[in-house]
Amino acid sequence: MQNEFNLDLDIEQSNDADETSSTLYAIAMDFMKGYIDVYLSLVNQTKGFAVVEAKNAQDYEQRLIILTGINSNLDPKNATAIDVVQEWQRRQAIIFDVEASITKGVYIKMREVAQTLINELRVATNNFQVFDSDYINKNPRMLPIFQRLINVRSKSELKKRIGSVSDNAISKPAAKRLSDILNSQTTNQNINDQEILQGLETTLEGIVRDLVGRVLLETIVATALDEANVPYKREKEYKYLEGVIYNFRSDFVIPDENEPKAFIEVRKSSSRHASLYAKDKMFSAINWKGKNKDILAILIVDGEWTAETLRIMANVFDYVVPIKAVSSVANSIAEYLQGDKSKLKWVIDFSIKPANE
């Protein structure tokens, strides 16, 4: 077997149905949501990681998140709560890496899941010697391993050989074709678990990257809004938010698009792209605030934004805050919905009309 392997599972086409299945993607989604819950709990306990105490590092998951967030080499399995506090104290100037702090645990758990699947498949196939088509048909979740075993590098190549399949469904004809290939290629071969795991690593990385882009930051925001009892709609749940120039959708509209009181945009950036993202987000805010006079504009940021772009955006958005402060913002939105008008910082008068009026 070759060590380099790029397993294409059409991750970009994953949908809500996938998230409730037994696929690697769905399992990773559950793990990520679990670590997000631990992270948000820590945010509340530590006031956004401003004060970390021993009571905040009692569990393995807590220690893993804190140590990974500050890029520490301490092993969270062996480190004590006091060790974690001392490590945090000496590395306070390091910007807390939210993405890494959550995804590190997901990677660890997904590698354990991959090994469990390999062990299960080894038993079901008599040590990778007999691949029954009925088993393949009933276990499409094993597709990433099947694909690795026949050394097929892409979804398109796999489709040419056995037809259209996914890790949610493998038809009986496709299962028969895959069974024939597996039985012919694996007989009497000494298949090493480590090689399979190494081949699956690219798949796991792709899944986690996709989850980061699709759900990580927005799930953190949604969870904070839920805890503050703030009603909202997410981007996929409504048609558009009306603006002066164009109608478009924000990441969150509160409570809905018909009588919007706030919108939230969530953006991770690097210093290289900060200026470009800032212009895009500022125009969106002007567009929506110019149409809706009493709407709160909120930007939740993560990553390496430059101080200047954040300062400029704060002249348009009512709130520009890091992801770790999202719970505080959610509470402010709740207070605004209850009538606290002091939360509204900017009113934008912006209209376009024909010159002859």
Side-chain angles (χ1 to χ4, degrees):
M1 292 184 183
Q2 299 180 23
N3 288 334
E4 294 184 2
F5 192 73
N6 182 19
L7 186 57
D8 173 13
L9 290 178
D10 281 352
I11 290 172
E12 72 278 5
Q13 296 181 8
S14 300
N15 53 41
D16 292 339
D18 298 329
E19 295 167 11
T20 59
S21 70
S22 61
T23 65
L24 287 176
Y25 193 96
I27 295 170
M29 171 77 82
D30 288 340
F31 288 149
M32 182 164 286
K33 288 179 177 178
Y35 272 100
I36 287 172
D37 288 343
V38 177
Y39 165 80
L40 286 174
S41 178
L42 280 171
V43 168
N44 291 330
Q45 294 173 28
T46 64
K47 303 185 185 307
F49 295 98
V51 180
V52 175
E53 300 175 343
K55 64 182 181 180
N56 308 129
Q58 296 299 311
D59 299 333
Y60 164 76
E61 288 79 9
Q62 293 174 323
R63 296 193 294 272
L64 176 65
I65 286 176
I66 295 171
L67 292 173
T68 305
I70 59 176
N71 194 31
S72 170
N73 291 323
L74 286 183
D75 184 350
K77 288 185 176 180
N78 298 324
T80 66
I82 298 301
D83 292 336
V84 173
V85 172
Q86 292 176 343
E87 188 77 348
W88 170 81
Q89 289 174 340
R90 75 180 191 85
R91 299 172 73 88
Q92 291 183 62
I94 296 176
I95 296 176
F96 193 90
D97 192 330
V98 176
E99 179 181 324
S101 73
I102 293 173
T103 58
K104 178 68 174 292
V106 178
Y107 277 121
I108 292 172
K109 285 182 172 290
M110 288 305 295
R111 292 178 184 120
E112 293 173 354
V113 168
Q115 182 63 66
T116 298
L117 290 178
I118 292 171
N119 295 341
E120 179 185 329
L121 186 61
R122 188 180 287 278
V123 172
T125 60
N126 191 24
N127 199 28
F128 298 129
Q129 297 302 301
V130 180
F131 290 86
D132 181 72
S133 63
D134 187 54
Y135 176 84
I136 295 173
N137 169 251
K138 293 178 179 178
N139 291 275
R141 62 197 171 91
M142 293 288 187
L143 182 62
I145 302 177
F146 293 147
Q147 191 169 344
R148 177 66 185 115
L149 290 173
I150 65 176
N151 203 28
V152 171
R153 294 177 174 274
S154 70
K155 187 71 177 281
S156 58
E157 183 182 349
L158 184 66
K159 185 176 181 179
K160 289 179 182 178
R161 297 188 66 177
I162 66 173
S164 182
V165 296
S166 75
D167 53 353
N168 271 314
I170 300 177
S171 68
K172 289 186 176 181
K176 178 62 169 64
R177 287 190 287 271
L178 182 54
S179 171
D180 291 341
I181 297 172
L182 285 164
N183 286 322
S184 65
Q185 290 197 359
T186 61
T187 302
N188 298 321
Q189 287 188 15
N190 182 22
I191 300 174
N192 183 276
D193 286 9
Q194 195 58 41
E195 286 189 67
I196 301 176
L197 287 170
Q198 190 172 357
L200 288 173
E201 190 68 19
T202 306
T203 299
L204 300 183
E205 290 175 359
I207 289 172
V208 174
R209 281 199 307 270
D210 185 70
L211 285 172
V212 168
R214 288 185 63 208
V215 304
L216 176 57
L217 297 181
E218 290 189 19
T219 299
I220 292 174
V221 174
T223 302
L225 292 174
D226 289 339
E227 291 180 348
N229 294 316
V230 173
Y232 61 87
K233 284 187 176 181
R234 298 183 67 165
E235 182 178 1
K236 63 183 179 181
E237 297 172 339
Y238 69 101
K239 190 174 182 180
Y240 59 77
L241 178 57
E242 189 174 357
V244 177
I245 301 294
Y246 62 93
N247 301 328
F248 198 60
R249 291 177 295 176
S250 61
D251 293 325
F252 295 84
V253 62
I254 298 162
D256 58 46
E257 72 277 24
N258 298 317
E259 296 183 7
K261 294 299 181 182
F263 70 83
I264 301 175
E265 289 283 82
V266 187
R267 170 62 73 174
K268 182 180 177 69
S269 179
S270 64
S271 57
R272 184 173 58 180
H273 297 123
S275 177
L276 177 64
Y277 290 152
K279 292 176 182 177
D280 174 61
K281 294 305 177 186
M282 281 193 296
F283 185 79
S284 294
I286 293 170
N287 177 55
W288 287 320
K289 285 181 73 71
K291 184 69 176 181
N292 308 278
K293 300 303 181 184
D294 63 346
I295 194 170
L296 286 180
I298 299 160
L299 179 65
I300 307 294
V301 299
D302 188 37
E304 299 177 356
W305 289 87
T306 62
E308 180 63 15
T309 53
L310 292 176
R311 184 191 66 79
I312 293 172
M313 286 192 293
N315 291 328
V316 176
F317 284 87
D318 300 284
Y319 290 86
V320 178
V321 299
I323 190 69
K324 66 181 182 180
V326 67
S327 294
S328 175
V329 172
N331 291 330
S332 294
I333 297 172
E335 292 168 3
Y336 183 66
L337 295 179
Q338 293 167 7
D340 185 352
K341 299 301 182 182
S342 69
K343 304 301 180 184
L344 182 66
K345 304 301 180 182
W346 302 108
V347 175
I348 296 179
D349 294 314
F350 177 34
S351 63
I352 297 176
K353 57 185 178 181
N356 58 2
E357 284 189 3

